[in-house]
Amino acid sequence: MSRTYRIREFAELAGVTVRALHHYDRLGLLEPKRTATGYREYCAKDLEALEQIVALKFIGLPLGKIKLLLKRGTGDLASALRAQRTILDQKRRLLDRAIRAISEAETALQKGNGVDSEVFKHIIEVIEMQNKTEEWKKQYDLLVQGKIERLKAMSPDVKTQLQKEWSDLLTDIGAALNEDPASPKAQALVSRWATLMGAFAPAEAVDPELLKKFGASYSPSDWPDGAKKPEGQAADSRIWVFMRRALAVRK
Amino acid sequence: MSRTYRIREFAELAGVTVRALHHYDRLGLLEPKRTATGYREYCAKDLEALEQIVALKFIGLPLGKIKLLLKRGTGDLASALRAQRTILDQKRRLLDRAIRAISEAETALQKGNGVDSEVFKHIIEVIEMQNKTEEWKKQYDLLVQGKIERLKAMSPDVKTQLQKEWSDLLTDIGAALNEDPASPKAQALVSRWATLMGAFAPAEAVDPELLKKFGASYSPSDWPDGAKKPEGQAADSRIWVFMRRALAVRK
DNA sequence: TCTACGCTGACGCTGCGTCATGGTGC
DNA sequence: TGCACCATGACGCAGCGTCAGCGTAG
């Protein structure tokens, strides 16, 4: 049939490195024939296989999965593509946030206001923003779900009262941002917060672990009829950072 | 002053893992005081430092650079941010292409036309597209620069002649896509191609290595007054893949 | 004394890059 | 005979995760 290639030539042919071909060979991804003296001998079929490997690698599939995909039928190819796209979408969102964080930091630097601390705070804003909207959202929604229902079932008087308590609490926290999270003042705020959380669900449903994990990651203002933020955008994020810390210190 | 924390608590306080703190310690990024028995003892200042580390890590800076940035002044912080944004922008473009490649592959799968080969070809299209527009662009532009100037300086007759030769060559290549890149037919096409390239620059400027590396990565149709593609979008990419291979085989 | 937590190695993971050492092809 | 090319280890990198084996706090 058509000619064969030694590894060097074959690598250039396909646009990969010799080392990569060695690697794929050892992984069992692409194992060419060997000459009597052990030289690898690649043919046209190997080129097709390598092309597929390169293609799947390009979309971010790990070599292990590529191996499985190519050795088995095409059945899972579709699902693999779907899964990979989901992963890439997540990566892109992360990237976008990182880029935005840099932009924020750069404008903060140009304004030359604070020394450095301001710069980092801007980045942290974006990080927290992510945490709120991405990582914990799903699971936290589960936790919150029951509370909203209870909220709806409450009398208007109680609702108004709860709203005021939330609002007051947030104001107080905003005024205590410079406190040590371990201080009695901060811990008192945590207690008030935990109590308010507890008002929305039966006591046994208020898992302290859950509270610690997700509690501070979400604003009550996300809830219908929730309390309004006492201050501007900036205070928002710092409040939840503070509460997360204070919760971490809490037993 | 304010209280100190042992590693576990401090980790929760900051939202990182104990292992990460160990790691940062060993790297010299964040080295807390130690108790008499060797326990790490973190304080409020360490928390600030860790926050900065986390922030810089979030935007993708490697720990080594973070260490340098935090130990030195803020002078290079601005440039580090710029550099990092450039890197992230590149990453994002790559990600977008990978995502598009998956989309193409999925539609190809749904159409159910070809078995698999079609699917991979679509991905490869996107990869080649990237190679053309990203990786080699800058350096290739340097190579092409002189050629364009020579082209402008040519007489209209010669220009027309060259355009025709390019067009013919591309047509011939398009008709030979199924040839073995090592075949005499393919190699003859490579020779014609190299000759045409050479017509744009003095012979000594046509480095064969450069030719091999960048020659097939760019379409002559990118040039002003360049030849038109003989066929549709799809043929375009396959032509350059074929030529790259044929060039790789060439001595 | 029991138990949770702290300490220091050390290997694993991902995809090769980069020697180092020694055999082959022409 | 020499020189370019091939082969097989083996370490390195980035950022921790995950034991393992052993001391410490309370």
Side-chain angles (χ1 to χ4, degrees), chain A residues 10 26 45-46 59 83 98 101-102 120 148 153 165 170 177 182 191 195 211 232 245 249:
Chain A
F10 188 72
R26 195 174 350 241
K45 274 200 173 180
D46 293 326
I59 63 173
I102 293 181
F120 295 111
I148 291 177
E165 288 188 37
L170 290 177
L177 287 178
S191 294
T195 307
L211 216 67
R245 286 184 187 161
V249 173

Side-chain angles (χ1 to χ4, degrees), chain B residues 14-28:
Chain B
V16 304
T17 66
V18 172
R19 182 63 178 87
L21 292 176
H22 282 162
H23 193 55
Y24 300 157
D25 193 355
R26 186 159 10 221
L27 291 185

